[in-house]
Amino acid sequence: MPSTKTLPLIKDAERLENRLKEIPAVPGVYLMRDEGDRILYIGKSKKLRNRVRSYFRESQNLSARIALMVQQVREIEFIATDTEAEALALEANLVKQHQPYFNVLLKDDKKYPYLCITWSEEYPRIFITRKRRASSAKDRYYGPYVDTGALRSTLHLIKRIFPLRQRPQPLFKDRPCLNYDIGRCVGVCQGLTSPEEYRKIIQKVAMIFQGRTQELLDILEPQMEQAAEDLNFETAARIRDQIKGLQSLSAGQKVSLPDDTVSRDAIALAAGTQHACVQLFQIRAGQLVGRLGFIAEIPAQLPLAKGGQELSQSLEKGGQELSQLSLSSPPWQGGEGGVDAGAILQRVLEEHYQNVESVEIPSEISVQYELPEAEILADWLTNRKGRKVTILTPQRQTKAELIEMVERNAEYELARMQRLGDRNSQAMEDLAELLDLPELPHRIEGYDISHIQGSDAVASRVVFIDGLPANQHYRHYKIKNPEIKSGHSDDFASLAEVIGRRFRKNKEKESSATNNVRDLTDQSNENELSNLGLRQEVSSLSSVSHTISDKPDLIMIDGGKGQLSAVVAVLREMNLLDELRVVSLAKQREEIFLPGESLPLPTNSEQPGVQLLRRVRDEAHRFAVSFHRDQRSQRMKRSRLDEIPGLGHHRQKLLLAHFRSIDYLRLATPEQLAEVSGIGPRLAQQVYDYFHP
């Protein structure tokens, strides 16, 4: 049967020319796809046809990374837009959705914290978080902030300056707490202030994180003077204290520029072989009001494995071998295989300014390197702000010195990241040597049990990837064994249950996916793989099978030989003992036990590998204890009436309103219970039987 395989566009001149003629010379977004219909690259342009054609000109001096991408392009799609600004916004959304391999991608590793204001709620909350959720379009996130300590200190001072809600939950049901009495809160929990008035207070707080502190001071000072003229001295004194607090908040700024009439942002980066650290300084009224940090991934020189084999063919242009590609030279120097630093800065600025309000956009942006699409970005920002926004690359004098300072801070942050990465690499190498692992433990899972004499027994699973906590893979388990209850605990049985639940379902899914792949592969072999859709389905299911397994390279159990033996028994029962490596770490002497060994490994508690296991153990313990406390707290808050079948929350309220307490309710007869509105004779008898078994 004839093959359906298509040549790359660069090798099929006729099809390439026909495709280029179909692309209009209008603003829009283009998508490069490979043989497997995967998106390789997403870009934007003011004139789509000219931009796409430039990739295939022999005279075009492409970087080795982009040249490698062009060699794999089988199809080009485009989406036309009305303006360049629409193309920029659309490209950012598509890149975020598809994560193309050859695009510059920002790394969201929960490294830097944000400050969130929940405008979607009636009384907005303010809190610090490392997770940027898209739960509501109304909520606003400020950051990410590099200096966590400074952010917490600022928020603490703001809560002293403005009367904000101090507690996530009310302390009392019928009255406000002490914070209201001393003027730290406006009684949100009891509705003592209207949502409109409280939002006005939050608006003032938001202005601080928008870099508009001076503007806020200009608003408060006339209010203070007016209150004094009206002989409202308490209000005037309160506003005076707020002004002093805001002035002290900005007094610690170390950066001051002579030109205090222009608001500007300054952005620079420092790059290693895998990541680039980007710093963005926010200068308002001549002072540094914020320092944000971003991490961008630098794509490796080779694409992902394809069909089990890495691409090894050479680039035809210039006969350059892929093996020669390296990131030995910094990306901003245009090294072979390097990533354009301007593209990284452009990606960061697009991502950042998409998530800020128009008043936060500065009039001037100083960049370390020229941006590839500076004109489009400037036009888009100008439209959003409603005023001219200028993007420039300073070369001398004060602005250039500012860029140098931002770059120096980015280098410090990169060096700190690299030291942390080196420490983790050393710890994993030491652990692999200590436990005689065939390769480095990329994924380590830690398990622990928490309870109080068997009551509210729970378990935790924590995951460390490359030596760092991966919170998105953490899991809680409630122990379901009926024999484990208050007064009777069994950590061995609990661990066996959790390990069985963790891997039994996983194994069933993997087996099902493998069978589906085998069936489809047999079917496709009969058809000589002529059906492209069937081949893609086989590839997709193979990927699913690989993902489902998600097996750890090492399992760490918090405990000694007894806990380890219980886990080994359940793994042997599931025929997984040969596939999974499991150890236990005892608390008392930090001893490591292996399956089948009566004595612990001879180790030094201070060596890097043991310290890594201790970090996993401590995190598993913390995660289990926090969940146990939550469960115990919820149980203590539950009423005994919850245990009576058929007695819902509304009827519980009716009974308690009538009898005033559970003690009087316990003494009531069925006839007295039936007198309560909504409680019939049948339910009254059930309530009576519960208290008089």
Side-chain angles (χ1 to χ4, degrees):
M1 297 181 65
S3 174
T4 59
K5 184 176 181 180
T6 59
L7 293 174
L9 285 176
I10 199 170
K11 296 182 180 180
D12 192 340
E14 181 179 356
R15 191 163 67 91
L16 173 61
E17 188 60 32
N18 292 335
R19 187 57 179 148
L20 291 176
K21 290 179 180 179
E22 296 172 353
I23 301 177
V26 298
V29 174
Y30 56 92
L31 299 86
M32 306 285 199
R33 293 184 178 271
D34 67 359
E35 182 182 6
D37 203 35
R38 293 175 299 185
I39 297 177
L40 296 172
Y41 186 80
I42 298 175
K44 60 181 175 301
S45 177
K46 292 192 293 186
K47 292 186 178 180
L48 283 172
R49 181 185 299 168
N50 296 353
R51 170 55 58 83
V52 175
R53 186 183 293 275
S54 68
Y55 286 99
F56 300 94
R57 292 197 185 109
E58 293 185 3
S59 60
Q60 186 72 16
N61 185 21
L62 300 175
S63 69
R65 182 178 64 93
I66 297 300
L68 173 61
M69 183 268 295
V70 171
Q71 296 291 323
Q72 303 176 56
V73 175
R74 256 68 170 185
E75 186 56 68
I76 303 172
E77 296 180 6
F78 66 89
I79 302 174
T81 60
D82 294 332
T83 64
E84 296 92 334
E86 291 180 2
L88 185 148
L90 177 60
E91 182 216 27
N93 291 333
L94 291 176
V95 168
K96 194 179 300 182
Q97 176 183 351
H98 296 287
Q99 300 281 297
Y101 182 77
F102 286 93
N103 278 86
V104 173
L105 302 177
L106 297 187
K107 182 177 176 62
D108 180 19
D109 63 345
K110 312 297 184 296
K111 177 176 175 57
Y112 300 125
Y114 294 86
L115 182 122
C116 179
I117 300 180
T118 58
W119 290 108
S120 59
E121 300 179 6
E122 185 179 23
Y123 290 94
R125 292 178 295 126
I126 303 177
F127 58 91
I128 297 173
T129 178
R130 292 180 184 269
K131 297 180 181 179
R132 184 169 189 155
R133 299 181 179 89
S135 56
S136 174
K138 295 182 180 180
D139 294 345
R140 279 288 293 114
Y141 288 85
Y142 299 93
Y145 293 97
V146 177
D147 193 338
T148 307
L151 175 60
R152 295 186 184 278
S153 176
T154 300
L155 183 58
H156 178 71
L157 182 56
I158 286 173
K159 288 186 175 182
R160 295 176 65 90
I161 297 173
F162 296 98
L164 301 174
R165 179 167 65 177
Q166 304 289 330
R167 302 178 60 87
Q169 297 294 333
L171 189 61
F172 307 105
K173 292 183 178 180
D174 55 352
R175 61 185 176 89
C177 62
L178 184 61
N179 287 311
Y180 175 78
D181 298 323
I182 63 177
R184 293 283 182 84
C185 179
V186 288
V188 172
C189 60
Q190 303 301 323
L192 299 180
T193 185
S194 66
E196 293 75 17
E197 290 298 322
Y198 189 70
R199 283 173 173 265
K200 291 180 182 179
I201 301 175
I202 300 295
Q203 284 283 5
K204 296 177 182 178
V205 176
M207 292 177 68
I208 298 173
F209 290 98
Q210 292 169 354
R212 302 162 62 196
T213 306
Q214 186 58 47
E215 183 180 341
L216 178 58
L217 289 172
D218 295 339
I219 294 174
L220 291 177
E221 287 176 356
Q223 292 180 359
M224 178 186 66
E225 295 172 358
Q226 184 63 44
E229 290 179 5
D230 296 341
L231 304 182
N232 192 350
F233 298 117
E234 289 186 2
T235 301
R238 186 174 66 251
I239 298 176
R240 177 204 61 196
D241 294 341
Q242 292 177 352
I243 291 174
K244 287 185 177 180
L246 291 173
Q247 289 172 342
S248 67
L249 192 62
S250 58
Q253 304 297 344
K254 300 298 189 293
V255 178
S256 181
L257 298 180
D259 184 7
D260 59 357
T261 61
V262 178
S263 63
R264 63 168 56 87
D265 284 353
I267 186 170
L269 63 80
T273 57
Q274 296 179 340
H275 300 101
C277 284
V278 184
Q279 298 270 296
L280 189 147
F281 279 28
Q282 298 170 310
I283 313 295
R284 303 293 183 267
Q287 290 188 324
L288 173 65
V289 299
R291 181 166 71 104
L292 309 183
F294 305 86
I295 300 175
E297 291 185 347
I298 297 179
Q301 58 267 36
L302 288 175
L304 296 173
K306 189 175 180 182
Q309 298 177 347
E310 292 184 353
L311 295 176
S312 58
Q313 70 270 27
S314 62
L315 292 174
E316 293 190 357
K317 291 185 179 182
Q320 188 177 25
E321 297 290 336
L322 290 182
S323 58
Q324 296 175 354
L325 300 181
S326 68
L327 282 171
S328 56
S329 56
W332 55 86
Q333 295 180 1
E336 295 295 339
V339 180
D340 180 20
I344 295 178
L345 296 179
Q346 172 112 12
R347 180 78 183 92
V348 170
L349 291 175
E350 291 173 359
E351 175 81 11
H352 171 63
Y353 291 123
Q354 267 199 328
N355 297 308
V356 304
E357 298 178 18
S358 58
V359 294
E360 300 176 54
I361 299 175
S363 302
E364 185 179 290
I365 303 172
S366 298
V367 297
Q368 182 185 18
Y369 302 103
E370 293 285 349
L371 306 184
E373 302 287 352
E375 185 179 350
I376 293 179
L377 180 59
D379 291 343
W380 176 63
L381 292 175
T382 298
N383 291 336
R384 284 204 61 198
K385 185 176 179 62
R387 295 174 56 188
K388 177 68 174 177
V389 176
T390 305
I391 299 177
L392 52 89
T393 308
Q395 302 296 330
R396 54 187 176 181
Q397 295 182 346
T398 307
K399 295 179 182 179
E401 293 174 358
L402 175 62
I403 288 293
E404 291 177 1
M405 182 185 68
V406 179
E407 180 182 1
R408 191 162 59 250
N409 280 270
E411 290 172 351
Y412 292 149
E413 185 66 16
L414 178 65
R416 192 174 69 86
M417 283 186 57
Q418 290 176 338
R419 285 195 299 271
L420 180 62
D422 293 342
R423 188 189 75 170
N424 290 331
S425 298
Q426 182 182 2
M428 289 191 295
E429 290 174 1
D430 182 65
L431 187 59
E433 181 179 356
L434 179 64
L435 302 179
D436 195 22
L437 300 177
E439 55 187 14
L440 295 183
H442 168 70
R443 179 186 175 104
I444 303 175
E445 293 187 2
Y447 294 86
D448 191 18
I449 304 294
S450 181
H451 58 85
I452 294 181
Q453 295 182 350
S455 67
D456 305 303
V458 297
S460 67
R461 181 190 85 190
V462 300
V463 179
F464 276 51
I465 294 180
D466 292 334
L468 295 174
N471 304 66
Q472 67 272 25
H473 299 300
Y474 284 19
R475 293 294 181 270
H476 284 137
Y477 297 90
K478 293 181 182 178
I479 302 302
K480 299 180 179 180
N481 191 334
E483 296 182 359
I484 299 176
K485 52 189 176 181
S486 181
H488 183 271
S489 62
D490 190 338
D491 286 359
F492 302 163
S494 298
L495 280 169
E497 175 190 332
V498 170
I499 295 297
R501 288 163 59 184
R502 160 67 176 95
F503 292 103
R504 187 170 287 114
K505 184 181 294 185
N506 185 281
K507 188 175 182 180
E508 292 172 357
K509 288 182 179 180
E510 181 182 1
S511 176
S512 175
T514 303
N515 292 335
N516 291 336
V517 170
R518 186 182 299 112
D519 295 341
L520 280 173
T521 304
D522 294 341
Q523 181 182 351
S524 60
N525 287 335
E526 293 176 3
N527 297 329
E528 297 182 3
L529 291 177
S530 60
N531 189 320
L532 180 60
L534 188 59
R535 283 184 293 164
Q536 292 176 351
E537 189 173 357
V538 171
S539 174
S540 175
L541 278 173
S542 298
S543 176
V544 169
S545 175
H546 176 73
T547 303
I548 286 176
S549 64
D550 203 18
K551 293 177 182 175
D553 301 305
L554 180 66
I555 299 173
M556 194 282 307
I557 304 299
D558 185 5
K561 291 186 292 184
Q563 286 86 346
L564 179 62
S565 299
V567 170
V568 167
V570 71
L571 290 177
R572 182 180 290 113
E573 179 186 342
M574 293 188 293
N575 296 322
L576 290 175
L577 190 57
D578 294 334
E579 302 178 28
L580 299 173
R581 190 65 184 269
V582 57
V583 300
S584 68
L585 181 64
K587 287 187 179 72
Q588 188 172 6
R589 299 180 181 177
E590 308 294 351
E591 295 174 327
I592 300 176
F593 290 93
L594 300 179
E597 300 290 338
S598 58
L599 298 177
L601 285 177
T603 60
N604 178 4
S605 61
E606 299 304 320
Q607 66 184 96
V610 178
Q611 289 183 340
L612 175 57
L613 279 185
R614 287 165 60 182
R615 290 198 296 272
V616 177
R617 190 268 317 280
D618 294 343
E619 180 69 357
H621 180 71
R622 179 200 65 80
F623 200 50
V625 169
S626 63
F627 185 48
H628 165 73
R629 288 173 178 166
D630 291 341
Q631 295 298 304
R632 187 179 62 192
S633 177
Q634 292 179 15
R635 175 178 57 82
M636 295 176 69
K637 290 178 181 178
R638 287 195 297 267
S639 169
R640 291 188 61 189
L641 300 179
D642 289 335
E643 302 175 8
I644 303 176
L647 190 63
H649 181 66
H650 177 66
R651 288 176 174 174
Q652 291 179 26
K653 291 173 63 177
L654 294 175
L655 285 171
L656 290 174
H658 183 82
F659 291 99
R660 299 299 180 184
S661 73
I662 291 185
D663 291 333
Y664 287 121
L665 181 62
R666 184 187 297 112
L667 299 175
T669 64
E671 292 75 15
Q672 292 173 327
L673 292 169
E675 293 176 359
V676 179
S677 174
I679 306 295
R682 185 175 178 181
L683 184 56
Q685 187 63 46
Q686 290 181 353
V687 175
Y688 181 82
D689 292 341
Y690 173 78
F691 288 108
H692 303 83

